[in-house]
Amino acid sequence: MESDKNQKNIVLFVTNLKKYFPITSGFRNKGVVKAVDGVTFWVREGETLGIVGETGCGKTTLGRTILRLIDPTDGEIYYDVPSDEMENIIKLETELQEKKERDGENKNDTEVETLLKELIPLRKKYSLSNKSNKEIIQKRKIMQPVFQDPFSSLDPRKLVKDIIAEPMKLLTDMSNEEIEKRTADLLSEIGLNEDHMYRFPHEFSGGQRQRIGLARAISIEPKLLVLDEPTSALDVSVQAQILNILKDVQERRGITYLFISHHLSVIRMMSDRVAVMYLGKIVELAETDRLFTDMLHPYTKALLSAIPVPDPKTKVQRVVLEGEIPSPSDPPKGCHFHPRCPVALPVCGWSPRDMSGPLQTMFDQFRNPELSILPEVNEIVVDEDGNSIEIKFVSAVKSSDEMVNIINKVIEKEQSLPNGVKFRSIKEIIPAPTGDGFTIKLIDPKVPHLREIRPGHFASCLLYDAPEGNTQPEFADVGKQAAYSR
Amino acid sequence: MDANVFAAKGGEKKRNPGLDNFITTMKLFVKTRIAFVGMIITLIYFLIALLDAVYPQYLGVTNLSSMLAFLHGQSVSASAQPIAPTTVGGWYYWLGTTEYNIPIFPSILASLKYDLGSSLLIVALGAATGVIIGTIAGYFGGLLDEIVMRITDIFFSIPFLVFAIAMAVILSRVLPSGSSIDVIIALTIIWWPIYARLSRGNALTIKSLKFVEAATASGSSRMRNVFVHVMPNVLSAVFVQFSLDLGSIVQIFAGLDFIGFHIGGVFFPELGNLLNIGQPYLAQPYLNLTTGQVLSSTIWWPIVIPGIFLLIFTVAINLMGDGLRDVLDPKLRR
Amino acid sequence: MELRYYIVRRLLVLIPTILGLTLLIFILMRSLPTTYLIAPYTAGAKTTAAKALDTATAIKLLGLNYPVPVQYLDYLNNLLHGNWGYMAAGGGYTGSVLTLIGLYLPNTAQLAIGATVLSIIVAIPLGTYIGARPNSVADQSGRIFSLFGYAMPAFWLALLLQIIFGAKSVGGAPWQIFPITGVYPESVLIHTPAWMANGTSYPTHIFILDALLNGDPSAAWGGFMHIVLPVLALTYGILAGILRFIRAGMVDAANQEYVKTARAKGVNEKLVIKRHVRRNALIPTITVMGLLFAGLLGGVVLIEKVFAYPGIGLLTVNSALPTLQIYGIAGTTLIFGLLLVSANLVVDIVYAFVDPRIRY
Amino acid sequence: MLVEDKLVENEEAVYLRVENLSTKFFTSKGIVKAIDNLSFEIRKGEIFGLVGESGCGKSVTALSVMDLIQDPPGRITHGKIYIDNFNIIGDLDRLAKIDVRSETDVRIKRNKRMIKRHNEILSKIRGDKIAMIFQEPFLAMNPVMRIGEQISESILLHNRIDIANSIIRRENIDRGKSDSFIEYLETIKGTERALKEINVWTREYGVPDAELKIIELSRSALSINEKKEKMYELLLAEKRGVNLQAVFEEREYFKDREKLLELNMEMTGYEEKNDEVNARRVGEEIKELRRGMTGRNISFLLKQKLMKKQYERPFLQEARRRTLELLKLVNIAGAERVIDSYPHEMSGGMLQRAMIAMALASNPKMLIADEPTTALDVTTQAQILELIKNLNTVTDSAVLFITHDLAVIAEMCQRVGVMYAGNLVESAPVEIIFSNMKHPYTIGLMASVPRADKKRDKAMKLESIPGAVPNLISPPTGCRFHPRCKFKMDICSEKKPKLVEIEKDHKVACFLYSNEVEEN
């Protein structure tokens, strides 16, 4: 964590933030949607942090949780804390997290204990996550949202004058004249004029409504703006106007932006640093140009290579991912991206449910004729918790050892195939005592954590977790195949 | 009205925005002609009801007691048979008479104030309670929402009229007053769940809209959100249901009176009551008392004429309600 | 979830509603002064002159002095064991409320189901025809027809039908052939046949059916003539309601994107309407059937009063006026509630069957 | 196929030609001039991109090309649309007389009979010659119909005769045909060609399920006679005892319908040239054919009404098999499961693939894609764009690709048209549009697009076009872009610039480059 002097101090620090939504159908609830699943990052004053990801990656929920429009399930949000306190908090919190992650099982309580003792009072004082509505209202003065859909972010029954004035009326003790004067100035700042005050929202175009929403947000001089897809619903020419205004406002007022979007081109233009999210976790966070040219995480590579480029001469060397984004209510084990990852390792999180399909095809006698001498497969039982798969034959086998040899040979063959990495996650084959089948035990998957691989460049991928003994990460070259290094 | 059309108009300075909004609504409303006709007829009905309530003597037939006095003036004995509509003997008899020679035309005019007055009261009370309960339940959700939903389920599981009969007849024995108040209270108790469920549904959709979240971010408390942002937007849908319900409440009110509730006593001027009095006569032939000659096989006017006035009112108010729904429908507004 | 789970879940949700229904009726009953509750035992169906009880013993017999929750449980227990209370004297009815309901329910069912089936058969084809031709002459007249149906009170329409089509004592027009009161033709009233007793026919209590079962077609025809006018009066209201919603459903479905896709595939107009628009238009109509059926049951009460038609509607009216039979009112309100709740259940199941989005 | 070759090809290579197309919407607030005098053409196998902001009329163009404009409120008021050299909208005045009294008071007198005939012809062309995919997959698929049902519906609309023929051939197969095929197979050397032959043959004789077995048989080391024996057994097993008479009648009925369509199209052609003599002659032919048809097909129509299920079964089975093939063609995972599932059970990406499969059901020569990937995520969008490009090369069907995203245009299209407020302002091959654009609006649009491939510069501002998209009820006079144009001259607000070819296949409508005026 470089904290050299010339850097501005940190305005917002979010650690291990989680937001789970219960799924309720009828009376009993069936599990939980892990919209935000342990996110840690910080933002410096006047900086724009871009948050990018596809649908269902949790970026909007993250924005709404930070704004405390919804209550977080776990984790802390430190905002507008005196800089020295903040330094101390960040040190303690990151130390605590590293302790928890490293020795997950044999947690030596003493160390964690001391850290917690120090942190609890700080959390009570500064962290927004478990504050009551009244206390949070003070912080609302200095953080405001800007939303995506221009047509649902303004109250159709209210005049523009009252819409812009609402935050001032509720959060400041300005007199009505002051408020009216300030509203007029704000309107001219965003390119509308005073008469627009006495109009209803339905009398404006999409672009003009976004400007009114922005005027409302900056009316009380906030230090942080959370912009959730501010220009996604707009046409290109109108989007350019809004983005320019956002830049002017930031230059003039030094406001920090949390810029959430799924348009990577807009993100690259607006953000100083970018965080890429996938299924509720940050998979990579880095300075903008570094991320676009020198990305580390395989998902970032695939995501950036999928963007069409407005120049017919650039031929993009595309990494096309198969399959669809899994549902956040039941994410894959270990690294959430492992089922679709082109460079996955055996340890990345392969679990029995990933294996049942491939095992089925393995027993196809066209594919592996040598297996046809074994009896026909009756049933494949997946045991997620036990991390094992049991395969039952129709009848018993002559000799278990012979069966194990044949299967091991076939598995080696499968492992050599292009996406045979799944089979390399098989630890051992245990023949069933009754001889009519066998159980496959898989190696226990590891969970990747956001690590600072290079200064200021974080990634959460087991490729860089310096697997036992192998110092040079196998896939370090993913950065070099920069898609755009022309 | 698109933005640059507005720009062309050079944006006048301060003008009363609420009035402007009302004018555009009226302009749109007038365009749908039949709805406008519906509104005119409804206004006429309310005018008569108002006039009669405020200046009873103006219409010649004052309220209940004076109507009886008027009758006493005439021989009130059970008349041989109701007189058919004739132009003889002043405007009282234009629409004929019913039992005891009660003239139909003035009794209808006198009864409007009770019919419309009480149904307006019922729907207004029902809407007020229903909207408040429904909006709060819809916005806060959770256990409160679950309870309100279960209660409205129970209220919806009994057919309106059966529930109205049970409530009215029990309330009349429980409440001291005894007169028509208990039917009004009974119908109000039945009517609020309709508005509760309607405003709950609307509150759920509005709650998810971003301007409510923006208000929360601007420091507005949840309760303030309900009254400042959610409820005004719920009212447009409620207003349409309000006008449609006026029509159905009048029907139920007349129905109760028709089956014999005699809410204000036997001679209480109310359309349902008139129909109740007139019912036995429809099977009797209309004879020329002197010659015994059969003039018509049925004495239809004590039934048909009050019914037509009731029908015209309900049709007119339904036309107005449909017209309002199209005008207030946000999609058309843009 | 499979359709079966969905049905089971709907049944589970039904239980609190039915319990709530009984609780509401219990509260209404107990809010009355006790004189009404003990009336049958002091002077009514449950007593002969000798056994008339005085107030104190009647209260102890009915357990009215126990705490209210216990009384509610006692009330539930009675309901389950068929003791829905008795009629007090002077109400024109005698005996236990449940037997009375048992006698008269088939007649009301005859009316309600007849009107519903008739309206569905007419409304669905008519509604789709009108919905497919917005702003055509058919559409305009359809809208006027359903507007009047929606606005016209059912009981007044019944009176009109009696005037226009009812048989008149003297000088009636040729088409005025329908009797305007009661259920039974004169032939049966003059000499009651063997399969009739204390005012109803056996074995099914549905007169037309029993007449046919017992081989008396002319009586059956007479019975049929009696129910034509009441069913017509009821049908107009619900028919107008269904028409209104099918038309709205058709117009809305016709503007959807998948209709444009169908046309882009080359499906001709007739098939677009039949296969794509109509299927999606019927779904919102089914949801509103529950509400319309509630209106229908309400109308039944008034129609039975106009035609003096001996069903549970007339039983409700006579229990309310002139004298209050509290057990009559409680019993009929409960049976009407149960009828409506089961109708809503049927509507839910049909809805889940038609709209796949619910089941999966 | 290099871009240069395409330009050289002669006239009949053009599959779609739009001439002076105008579409208007008559609303209570006034007449929206959505498309104003639009002309462009698309060659066979070419991907033509149409780009522009919302409200520029690109989606209305897509709908107008297939005359899917909903009337009321909209109508095509002017122009010609040639699909495969047949003008689908024929003589507009015969269809409906539009009497414009004022902006808000328009009377339309529709000729019911002509419109019915017009729709009959169009329902044959739509889906068969030209198909369309839409932007929102969840809205564009019928929510209460299974995916397989919706695709089979599209197949059965245009391929009944083809299916009937293959069923009839399968049922009537005799020993001679199977033996001659085996001998023919022996003569083929390359396995590649053999596979192709078997595939075509099994399709033609309606025995595709046996294809795998036949391939295995042809590879096996059996002698010629044994192979013939086994082959015949295989074919006999495939027979399903279908009521041939019924299938035969069905084929005749649809052949008559096909003939009827051709005559109708011919008649519209003559009417358009108001050559009354031929029009009446063809009219007679149609009447006489119709009389003949009812006579010939009466038994079929009756049976079809009564025994609908039993008649349809062989066709449905064949349609289901083709649907599975189509789903595999658009590489949907788990086609067997998808065919029986409902739209709401699938993801946006998969549903879009199903829609593409549905569009390709009867192998149309042209596909209109109206913003197919706008509602999808970046990674799914890449997969769908890849799919559309492959299908274009495999089936050689032209694509009219409509989007607001310039990057997608660069990725996909060979020629591009830029639209603004209902007019085509510039059209050229894609390299020229991105390297040497002329029209001020194209320049402005290009500059206001944020670039994901350029190095970030914190202070750099996007060059933005001032103002907003104009309202088309009262569009600006002369060139509709003049209120927002930096290079505005006086003439720009009076006259409307004509779309003129300033370079090889590079057309621009702007007075900076030519002072030809467009009169309408």
Side-chain angles (χ1 to χ4, degrees), chain D residues 444-462:
Chain D
L445 201 60
M446 206 62 80
S448 57
V449 170
R451 300 292 290 266
D453 57 336
K454 283 280 188 309
K455 212 160 165 19
R456 179 178 177 275
D457 156 12
K458 184 145 174 106
M460 186 266 293
K461 288 264 175 32
L462 283 172

Side-chain angles (χ1 to χ4, degrees), chain D residues 484-498:
Chain D
R484 305 173 73 186
C485 181
K486 282 199 294 246
F487 312 96
K488 188 162 68 119
M489 302 177 277
D490 317 345
I491 182 168
C492 295
S493 51
E494 289 123 22
K495 292 277 186 295
K496 187 193 275 281
K498 192 169 189 313

Side-chain angles (χ1 to χ4, degrees), chain A residues 46-48 53-55 205 235-241 243-244 247-248 250-251 262 264-272 288-289 292 299 302-303 306-316 318 320-325 340 366 484 486, chain D residues 52-55 216 347-350 353 374 376-383 385-386 404-408 410-411 430-431 434-435 441 445-446 448-469 484:
Chain A
E47 181 193 23
T48 301
E54 296 181 292
T55 2
S205 73
D235 275 316
V236 175
S237 57
V238 178
Q239 163 175 284
Q241 292 163 11
L243 291 179
N244 289 345
K247 279 199 171 204
D248 298 342
Q250 186 168 45
E251 267 147 39
H262 67 281
L264 288 137
S265 42
V266 171
I267 286 283
R268 180 159 196 181
M269 175 197 154
M270 291 297 288
S271 345
D272 299 318
T288 312
D289 284 334
F292 273 81
Y299 173 65
L303 187 65
I307 319 163
V309 166
D311 175 359
K313 279 192 281 306
T314 344
K315 275 298 151 261
V316 172
R318 184 137 301 161
V320 182
L321 298 174
E322 301 96 19
E324 299 279 327
I325 300 172
R340 305 174 71 199
F366 274 102
Y484 313 103
R486 254 183 331 291
Chain D
E53 295 182 295
S54 58
E216 217 178 282
S347 75
M350 275 166 69
R353 289 170 194 271
T374 307
L376 304 177
D377 278 310
V378 174
T379 44
T380 331
Q381 164 174 289
Q383 290 166 356
L385 293 182
E386 199 73 27
H404 64 279
D405 187 338
L406 279 166
V408 171
E411 185 82 22
V430 70
E431 293 78 19
F434 280 89
S435 57
Y441 175 65
L445 201 60
M446 206 62 80
S448 57
V449 170
R451 300 292 290 266
D453 57 336
K454 283 280 188 309
K455 212 160 165 19
R456 179 178 177 275
D457 156 12
K458 184 145 174 106
M460 186 266 293
K461 288 264 175 32
L462 283 172
E463 195 228 306
S464 72
I465 309 169
V469 179
R484 305 173 73 186

Side-chain angles (χ1 to χ4, degrees), chain B residues 9-151:
Chain B
K9 237 173 22 196
E12 325 73 82
K13 201 98 187 61
K14 268 197 183 38
R15 54 169 178 54
N16 179 330
L19 181 67
D20 166 54
N21 200 6
F22 179 73
I23 294 167
T24 36
T25 320
M26 277 310 118
K27 252 197 255 121
L28 273 173
F29 192 76
V30 164
K31 258 214 210 95
T32 44
R33 273 186 308 286
I34 26 169
F36 187 61
V37 165
M39 193 168 77
I40 295 293
I41 297 172
T42 318
L43 287 185
I44 293 169
Y45 268 76
F46 276 104
L47 209 62
I48 298 171
L50 210 62
L51 266 179
D52 187 31
V54 171
Y55 305 102
Q57 70 286 357
Y58 176 77
L59 281 174
V61 175
T62 54
N63 56 30
L64 172 64
S65 54
S66 63
M67 185 166 156
L68 274 177
F70 173 78
L71 290 175
H72 288 308
Q74 303 288 344
S75 60
V76 82
S77 66
S79 69
Q81 59 182 2
I83 304 160
T86 88
T87 53
V88 161
W91 70 279
Y92 284 174
Y93 295 99
W94 276 352
L95 297 177
T97 69
T98 174
E99 203 179 9
Y100 305 109
N101 267 338
I102 297 173
I104 292 177
F105 197 9
S107 0
I108 290 173
L109 297 186
S111 63
L112 287 190
K113 60 174 173 296
Y114 290 108
D115 274 290
L116 300 192
S118 31
S119 47
L120 200 62
L121 193 61
I122 293 166
V123 178
L125 286 174
T129 31
V131 165
I132 292 170
I133 297 174
T135 312
I136 291 175
Y139 182 76
F140 286 95
L143 190 62
L144 175 68
D145 185 26
E146 200 55 39
I147 295 169
V148 166
M149 278 308 283
R150 285 289 74 75
I151 292 174

Side-chain angles (χ1 to χ4, degrees), chain A residues 2-29:
Chain A
E2 86 289 8
S3 58
D4 37 19
K5 288 304 143 279
N6 53 24
Q7 289 282 24
K8 289 242 176 41
N9 46 35
I10 289 174
V11 168
L12 170 74
F13 174 58
V14 168
T15 171
N16 190 24
L17 191 64
K18 289 192 172 118
K19 177 60 193 176
Y20 297 164
F21 293 107
I23 315 165
T24 50
S25 80
F27 303 103
R28 32 166 182 65
N29 52 25

Side-chain angles (χ1 to χ4, degrees), chain B residues 254-292:
Chain B
L256 285 180
D257 213 4
F258 168 71
I259 53 174
F261 263 78
H262 297 312
I263 292 161
V266 176
F267 291 109
F268 179 72
E270 197 279 329
L271 291 175
N273 201 10
L274 288 175
L275 293 175
N276 181 298
I277 300 166
Q279 186 189 5
Y281 287 99
L282 70 87
Q284 282 179 8
Y286 185 57
L287 310 171
N288 173 334
L289 289 183
T290 48
T291 64

